Amino acid sequence: MAAPHTPPAPRTILLTGAAGGLGTLMRGLLPQHGYDLRLFDVRPVPDAPDAIVADLNDTAALREAVHGVDGVLHLAGISLESTFDKILESNIRGTQRLYEAVREAGGPRVVFASSNHTIGYTPRPHVEDGAPLVPVDTPRRPDTFYGLSKCFGEDLAQYYWDEHGIETVSVRIGSCFPEPTDVRMLSLWMSPADGARLFDAALTAEHVGHTVVHGSSANTRAWWDLTTARALGYAPQDDSEPYAAKLLAAQGPLDDTLPAHHHIGGRFVDDPPIWPH
């Protein structure tokens, strides 16, 4: 008689930024992929009394948070534009402190939430006219201090791989919401379910070193190339197209005479939303 099948034990990952918008979505979805979550945020996490409530300046809390985990999904930080000093403390110094804690813990893999705003000043490709999709190695052109901090995070990940052997997948997230809210987002939208699929692939693929991937669903109107994401095993299942007719009727098509429509970064290039804290 064959021995009964024993399912693999869940992998424990640290989820930073667990109380934020994307963190909240992933708290609900990642356990379906076999993960136990250790939660970390500067704010209390609803319905999670065991969450670690601290900021990225608290090195003792970071050491506690990364101890014994199998991976880190780093979503914490300022996710809109702010002053350089605030971005410096949260997104730049905070991310470096996290990597130091990871290094001290023996180097579990990191999945770093990068952003489309690393290339925000790149003109949007007119793929409908035959232009190629934007490759992941396109030169970075950050559109804000926020985008600049994500460029730093990618370079930090590369350094910690080359210097310390810590693997990272940097995911340049487009817009991860339950549904797209404007015409630009039809091209960059990543459904929450696809987000969980991509983060799972990034956490489990073999031999990633430091890999940069674009993070979106399989959108009919996509602007960027998902080749490196698919190479990790990512198989997106969603498409923004069912939302297109309603959004186009309400907002009209993109107009290249407007900077926010001409560039991948959208309104971040001329009127960025400001972090409220």
Side-chain angles (χ1 to χ4, degrees):
M1 173 182 282
H5 172 68
T6 302
R11 302 176 77 245
T12 299
I13 63 167
L14 172 65
L15 175 63
T16 73
L22 183 54
T24 297
L25 292 170
M26 292 305 112
R27 292 200 326 263
L29 290 166
L30 285 173
Q32 301 171 29
H33 291 268
Y35 294 99
D36 282 338
L37 304 182
R38 183 178 299 171
L39 307 178
F40 183 103
D41 202 290
V42 71
R43 298 175 292 163
V45 181
D47 302 317
D50 295 333
I52 299 170
V53 180
D55 68 24
L56 295 171
N57 297 317
D58 189 335
T59 55
L62 285 173
R63 290 189 183 106
E64 175 191 354
V66 302
H67 178 71
V69 300
D70 301 302
V72 177
L73 176 54
H74 181 42
L75 306 180
I78 292 173
S79 60
L80 301 172
E81 181 62 319
S82 188
T83 66
F84 181 75
D85 286 344
K86 289 180 180 179
I87 293 284
L88 174 65
E89 195 59 32
S90 177
N91 293 17
I92 295 177
R93 288 179 174 155
T95 300
Q96 191 274 333
R97 291 185 185 103
L98 173 67
Y99 268 90
E100 271 300 289
V102 168
R103 181 187 65 79
E104 292 173 0
R109 180 178 299 179
V110 178
V111 176
F112 170 62
S114 188
S115 172
N116 67 92
H117 298 291
T118 58
I119 58 169
Y121 268 110
T122 302
R124 67 180 178 93
H126 290 269
V127 293
E128 67 278 9
D129 297 327
L133 297 172
V134 174
V136 78
D137 61 354
T138 194
R140 291 183 302 196
R141 298 180 63 180
D143 51 27
T144 45
F145 290 139
Y146 165 71
L148 185 64
S149 75
K150 295 302 183 178
C151 293
F152 172 84
E154 291 183 9
D155 285 343
L156 188 74
Q158 185 66 53
Y159 170 75
Y160 271 82
W161 164 242
D162 289 333
E163 183 71 12
H164 301 295
I166 295 170
E167 291 193 311
T168 297
V169 177
S170 294
V171 180
R172 289 182 182 166
I173 298 169
S175 299
C176 190
F177 296 99
E179 62 181 65
T181 58
D182 60 32
V183 172
R184 168 183 170 272
M185 205 181 294
L186 293 170
S187 299
L188 297 176
W189 181 63
M190 181 168 67
S191 72
D194 277 343
R197 293 181 188 106
L198 178 51
F199 293 143
D200 176 47
L203 286 161
T204 57
E206 295 184 357
H207 310 304
V208 299
H210 175 227
T211 299
V212 181
V213 304
H214 288 148
S216 71
S217 289
N219 299 317
T220 298
R221 300 167 188 264
W223 288 344
W224 55 17
D225 186 4
L226 295 179
T227 297
T228 57
R230 292 180 186 276
L232 299 178
Y234 174 50
Q237 298 181 20
D238 297 319
D239 185 347
S240 64
E241 198 61 19
Y243 304 98
K246 180 180 177 180
L247 288 170
L248 285 164
Q251 302 174 11
L254 296 178
D255 177 357
D256 270 350
T257 66
L258 303 176
H261 290 186
H262 178 63
H263 297 94
I264 283 179
R267 61 181 289 204
F268 275 60
V269 304
D270 62 355
D271 184 26
I274 303 300
W275 186 248
H277 306 301

